């Protein structure tokens, strides 16, 4: 993803060693980001013919005291360097606009940024659009900067093509496969993260943005709006393209220097010197109060990684031969410490894993078991000596004792933000092929034969037993089945959703109804299972029983509009018009714009009119 950062690590590593190189580069990048905030802030206020040093100085200090930004400096990642280069690029663009110079160096830095983080493509698109707007009366002036950016982008594509065979880096395909779609909760998560960082800074940002926008148009300094487009554009683009609410929002922290520069720069418009000092200090106070937590976080993070990944690597070194092939989804630290051959199961470094993830992204989107199927495919093809995994990543595969033999575990429960709660080491059993093949086969083509020949008879038998038991016996029997599921198939309840969906797709409604009934008996508080059972009963024209199932779904999840809609339709089909109308009224009371509720109401009115 970041060729430039790899090059710098290699260059510094030649002289200092690779780990010290990461520390040195991270520290330099952190300080450079603060300097970039100073530079950008100064260029914004100079664009409006204001020249003073106090305001830009506070911008640099705010970045240095920004807790989450400071914490992320210790990650050894390229984030701080990228955020600094972007801020410098935007500052140069404003400087070029103020002096009416050619947009040369802003384009060069934006192009370099492409080789540091792929988010630079958003900056490139914004810059190209702004170049065209600024030079709309003379498009020839926009040709050079646009050509520079496109040239860097082409070099980046060529680099990836030569390295991986694809125009984009492997992590684009793997992460886009996993974090697909648009989610409102991701946008709210991002806003909440920045709010908790420093609520005073975010309030000031909103006010400053309005002031900067107004002053830009009033003075016809349209180029000064560019930092606003970046600060607000990146979180919105992340929201639209792919949600990634991981590691305290590390993928949006790159806007911090620009965000701070925008916020603090507006203070230069104030008349009195004491205001230019007092207001930045007031903005800094929440950051200062929360800084202690973030100062402690790097030590906690390091302890977690040393425990989870470091101890696992140590075990591998001590208990496996040098020639061992290790399969894992978390490559970095384990590979760095052990120098073993690694089979990448998560698509971090291996194009083989990445492209399987990408090709099966639709399946990943609908059922978690697809991860297990991808791992199973790779394991069958490469036959690793040991498998290092977390049950969080491959719950079905790691739970199958006939395929994998558990050897060792390390776990960390302090604050598992940066790490999985535990890592397990397994040995692949000699007779595991058929079992693992089932995972692989299910992930790519639902195994209808296994479901019909094995699971369906088991469900029929369990339901027959439950029918002939007393209340107490039923409780004990259900508890026993749940205990076995937790031991051998801990995500059985969730897997039922995908299994039942398969039966619906195959139009095997009676068979699906058996398994849905069994699932509801095991998990009576699972609204989704009750809703699916109701749907299956509706397909078999058993509307009264369907209404009972939908009633249970609505009772368990009263705020779920889809369940209540299904309940209303079932009541209407079974002839209970008044009850159906009552459910529709309940939906419209909470959501007057519900199109589905309106359609049901229209159908009810037509029925009653007859």
């Amino acid at each position: 993803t970041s060729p430039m950062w790899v090059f710098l690590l290699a260059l510094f590593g030649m002289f200092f060693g690779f780990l010290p190189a990461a520390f040195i580069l991270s520290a330099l990048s952190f300080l450079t980001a603060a300097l970039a905030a100073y530079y950008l802030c100064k260029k914004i206020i100079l664009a409006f013919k204001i020249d003073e040093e106090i305001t830009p100085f506070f911008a640099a200090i705010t970045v240095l005291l920004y807790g989450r930004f400071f914490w992320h400096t210790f990650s050894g990642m390229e984030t701080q360097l990228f955020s600094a280069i972007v801020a410098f690029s935007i500052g140069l663009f404003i400087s070029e606009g103020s002096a009416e110079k050619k947009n040369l160096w802003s384009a060069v830095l934006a192009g370099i940024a492409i080789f540091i983080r792929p988010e630079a493509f958003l900056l490139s698109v914004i810059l190209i659009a702004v170049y065209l707007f600024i030079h709309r009366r003379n498009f020839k002036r926009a040709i050079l900067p646009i050509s520079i950016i496109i040239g860097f982008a082409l070099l980046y594509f060529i680099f990836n093509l030569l390295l991986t065979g694809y125009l984009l880096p492997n992590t684009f395909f793997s992460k886009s496969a996993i974090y697909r779609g648009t989610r409102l909760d991701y946008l709210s998560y991002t806003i909440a993260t920045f709010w908790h960082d420093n609520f005073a800074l975010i309030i000031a940002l909103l006010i400053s943005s309005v002031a900067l926008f107004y002053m830009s148009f009033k003075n016809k300094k349209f180029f000064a709006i560019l930092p606003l487009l970046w600060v607000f554009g990146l979180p919105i683009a992340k929201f639209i393209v792919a949600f990634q609410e991981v590691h305290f929002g590390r993928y949006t922290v790159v806007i911090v220097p620009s965000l701070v520069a925008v916020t603090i720069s507006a203070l230069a418009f104030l008349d009195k010197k004491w205001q230019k000092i007092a207001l930045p200090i007031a903005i800094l106070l929440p950051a200062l109060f929360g800084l202690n937590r973030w100062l402690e976080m790097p030590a906690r993070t390091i302890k977690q990684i040393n425990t989870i990944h470091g101890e696992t690597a140590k075990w591998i070194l001590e208990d496996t031969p040098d020639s061992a092939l290790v399969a894992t989804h978390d490559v970095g630290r384990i590979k760095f410490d052990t120098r073993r051959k690694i089979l990448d199961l998560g698509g971090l470094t291996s194009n083989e894993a990445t492209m399987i993830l990408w090709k099966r992204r639709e399946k990943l989107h609908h059922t978690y078991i697809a991860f297990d199927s991808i791992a199973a495919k790779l394991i069958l093809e490469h036959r690793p000596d040991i498998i290092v995994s977390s049950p969080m990543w491959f719950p079905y595969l790691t739970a199958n004792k006939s395929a994998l033999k558990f050897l060792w575990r390390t776990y960390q429960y302090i604050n598992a933000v940066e790490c999985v709660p535990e890592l397990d080491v397994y040995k692949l059993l000699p007779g595991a092929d058929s079992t693992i093949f089932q995972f692989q086969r299910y992930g790519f083509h639902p195994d209808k034969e296994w479901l019909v020949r094995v699971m369906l008879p088991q469900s029929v038998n369990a339901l027959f037993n439950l029918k002939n038991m007393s209340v107490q016996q039923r409780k004990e029997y259900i508890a026993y089945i749940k205990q076995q599921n937790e031991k051998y198939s801990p995500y059985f309840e969730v897997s039922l959703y995908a299994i039942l969906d398969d039966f619906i797709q195959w139009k095997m409604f009676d068979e699906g109804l058996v398994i849905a009934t069994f699932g509801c008996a095991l998990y009576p508080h699972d609204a989704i299972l009750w809703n699916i059972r109701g749907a299956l009963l509706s397909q078999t024209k058993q509307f009264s029983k369907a209404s009972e199932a939908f009633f249970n779904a609505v009772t368990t999840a009263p705020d779920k509009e889809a369940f209540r809609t299904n309940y209303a339709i079932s009541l209407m089909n079974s002839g209970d018009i008044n009850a159906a109308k009552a459910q529709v009224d309940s939906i419209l009371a909470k959501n007057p714009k519900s199109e589905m509720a309106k359609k049901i109401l229209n159908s009810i009115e037509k029925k009653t009119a007859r």
Side-chain angles (χ1 to χ4, degrees), residues 137-199:
R137 292 191 177 92
N138 185 5
F139 281 123
K140 289 182 179 179
R141 289 178 64 88
I143 293 174
L144 178 61
I146 291 174
S147 299
I148 290 171
I149 291 175
I150 292 174
F152 273 102
L154 287 173
L155 285 173
Y156 183 75
F157 292 142
I158 291 168
F159 169 81
N160 285 308
L161 191 64
L162 293 172
L163 184 69
T164 68
Y166 298 92
L167 292 174
L168 293 168
N170 60 304
T171 47
F172 165 81
F173 293 104
S174 59
K175 293 203 172 186
S176 296
I178 297 167
Y179 301 107
R180 293 177 62 240
T182 298
R183 282 177 32 181
L184 287 172
D185 59 341
Y186 172 68
L187 193 61
S188 62
Y189 163 83
T190 303
I191 294 167
T193 303
F194 281 102
W195 178 263
H196 288 304
D197 286 344
N198 187 337
F199 67 88

Side-chain angles (χ1 to χ4, degrees), residues 87-341:
F88 275 124
S89 175
I90 296 171
L92 280 167
F93 173 82
I94 293 171
S95 179
E96 292 163 350
S98 299
E100 297 185 356
K101 294 180 179 179
K102 289 183 178 179
N103 300 115
L104 176 63
W105 293 109
S106 62
V108 170
L109 275 189
I112 291 171
I114 290 172
F115 281 84
I116 305 175
R117 276 207 68 82
E119 286 89 344
F121 279 106
L122 174 66
L123 177 67
S124 300
V125 170
I126 293 172
L127 273 173
I128 289 171
V130 175
Y131 289 147
L132 291 171
F133 176 77
I134 295 296
H135 302 300
R136 60 192 181 279
R137 292 191 177 92
N138 185 5
F139 281 123
K140 289 182 179 179
R141 289 178 64 88
I143 293 174
L144 178 61
I146 291 174
S147 299
I148 290 171
I149 291 175
I150 292 174
F152 273 102
L154 287 173
L155 285 173
Y156 183 75
F157 292 142
I158 291 168
F159 169 81
N160 285 308
L161 191 64
L162 293 172
L163 184 69
T164 68
Y166 298 92
L167 292 174
L168 293 168
N170 60 304
T171 47
F172 165 81
F173 293 104
S174 59
K175 293 203 172 186
S176 296
I178 297 167
Y179 301 107
R180 293 177 62 240
T182 298
R183 282 177 32 181
L184 287 172
D185 59 341
Y186 172 68
L187 193 61
S188 62
Y189 163 83
T190 303
I191 294 167
T193 303
F194 281 102
W195 178 263
H196 288 304
D197 286 344
N198 187 337
F199 67 88
L201 183 68
I202 299 306
I203 293 170
L205 169 68
L206 298 176
I207 297 169
S208 298
S209 299
V210 173
L212 186 60
F213 193 82
Y214 171 75
M215 293 296 289
S216 299
F217 273 84
K218 182 182 178 182
N219 296 282
K220 294 186 178 180
K221 306 285 187 181
F222 301 116
F223 48 79
I225 297 173
L226 179 60
L228 290 176
L229 297 177
W230 172 249
V231 169
F232 290 99
L234 182 70
I236 292 170
K238 289 281 187 186
F239 157 68
I240 293 171
V241 176
F243 62 91
Q244 291 175 345
E245 68 277 51
V246 293
H247 298 187
F248 300 117
R250 76 173 187 216
Y251 294 100
T252 50
V253 79
V254 293
I255 66 173
V256 166
S258 302
L259 181 154
V260 168
V262 166
T263 305
I264 302 298
S265 65
L267 300 176
F269 300 141
L270 298 170
D271 296 325
K272 297 180 180 179
K273 188 174 181 179
W274 70 267
Q275 293 174 329
K276 295 178 182 180
I277 297 173
L279 285 173
I281 292 173
I283 290 170
L284 278 172
L285 283 175
L288 288 169
F289 282 116
L291 192 59
N292 182 58
R293 174 197 176 214
W294 290 107
L295 288 172
E296 293 175 351
M297 278 301 295
R300 179 178 289 184
T301 302
I302 291 163
K303 185 176 181 181
Q304 287 174 232
I305 293 171
N306 283 343
T307 304
I308 294 294
H309 300 101
E311 291 296 319
T312 303
K314 184 179 176 182
W315 188 94
I316 292 169
L317 278 170
E318 293 175 352
D319 291 86
T320 64
D322 293 343
S323 60
L325 174 61
V326 179
T328 182
H329 58 81
D330 223 335
V331 174
R333 175 68 182 273
I334 292 172
K335 172 67 175 177
F336 185 84
D337 281 4
T338 66
R339 299 294 191 269
R340 294 284 196 271
K341 291 184 292 182

Side-chain angles (χ1 to χ4, degrees), residues 31-47 50-65 88 256-269 273 276-277 280 284:
L31 296 173
T32 305
L35 182 62
Y38 174 93
Y39 178 81
L40 176 55
C41 184
K42 189 172 180 65
K43 292 302 177 183
I44 291 172
I45 62 177
L46 279 174
I50 303 169
D51 188 11
E52 49 106 338
E53 298 296 327
I54 296 174
T55 303
F57 170 76
F58 273 113
I61 293 296
T62 304
V63 170
L64 291 174
L65 295 177
F88 275 124
V256 166
S258 302
L259 181 154
V260 168
V262 166
T263 305
I264 302 298
S265 65
L267 300 176
F269 300 141
K273 188 174 181 179
K276 295 178 182 180
I277 297 173
L284 278 172

Side-chain angles (χ1 to χ4, degrees), residues 500-537:
L500 290 168
D501 182 60
D502 291 338
F503 277 109
I504 291 170
Q505 296 297 322
W506 298 327
K507 299 189 183 302
M508 297 174 65
F509 304 123
D510 291 324
E511 292 82 355
L513 187 55
V514 171
I515 292 176
T517 304
F518 175 55
C520 290
L522 284 182
Y523 309 104
H525 300 296
D526 190 318
I528 297 174
L529 287 176
W530 281 112
N531 185 65
I532 296 172
R533 184 171 186 268
L536 287 162
L537 285 162

